[in-house]
Amino acid sequence: MRATSATRAVLGLWQADADALLSEAEVEAALRGQGVRVNRVTVYRLLDRLARAGLLRRCVDASRVARYARPAQEAAAGAAARFECADCHSAFRLGASGDAAGQPLQDALRQLWQALAASGLQGRAIDVAVTGLCSDCRGAPAQP
């Protein structure tokens, strides 16, 4: 993979926020905000190549939007958990740095790896998706 300015800029998004969970549109908007000129097809292809190379992890949310994150670096390597709000569709990694639920969640993912191994199965990755209401939407009044 060539280290083009677009490649460096995309990887720089995760250097700035290691726990980011970004869609293609969000990556494209962030690059444009930095003054990086790149078209949508280039962003799609670049994200796909970075995911195939293992530098990013691709997951699909409840709305069938592909989102990208850095691979899990926690003790339960290869395990990732994310939350998506059913109302505002914000998405973020669970168990990320600074997340109060981080350690218990990582312990649960580690137990899942152990249960797979005890069953004679060899997992490659665990992707847990939780859909619910974020704290902002949970406190918002119901829409008529």
Side-chain angles (χ1 to χ4, degrees):
M1 177 175 278
R2 295 182 343 196
T4 64
S5 61
T7 303
R8 288 190 302 275
V10 167
L11 290 173
L13 297 175
W14 281 275
Q15 287 177 332
D17 182 2
D19 297 322
L21 184 61
L22 303 173
S23 68
E24 181 281 331
E26 291 166 331
V27 169
E28 187 179 349
L31 293 178
R32 290 216 170 128
Q34 294 176 1
V36 177
R37 296 182 61 193
V38 61
N39 67 45
R40 182 175 305 160
V41 173
T42 299
V43 173
Y44 274 114
R45 288 179 179 163
L46 181 54
L47 290 171
D48 183 57
R49 280 196 305 265
L50 291 169
R52 281 188 281 132
L55 297 173
L56 292 178
R57 182 181 185 114
R58 181 181 187 270
C59 57
V60 179
D61 68 16
S63 300
R64 297 181 59 188
V65 173
R67 294 186 180 273
Y68 297 84
R70 284 181 46 182
Q73 300 297 319
E74 297 84 5
R82 65 187 188 284
F83 183 91
E84 181 186 352
C85 180
D87 282 356
C88 70
H89 301 288
S90 62
F92 55 89
R93 283 179 58 178
L94 293 170
S97 58
D99 185 353
Q103 189 58 48
L105 182 57
Q106 289 308 312
D107 291 344
L109 291 171
R110 191 176 304 103
Q111 288 176 357
L112 186 52
W113 277 120
Q114 292 168 349
L116 283 169
S119 299
L121 301 172
Q122 181 182 10
R124 291 189 178 175
I126 296 174
D127 189 11
V128 177
V130 178
T131 303
L133 296 177
C134 68
S135 56
D136 290 339
C137 291
R138 195 175 63 225
Q143 296 288 328

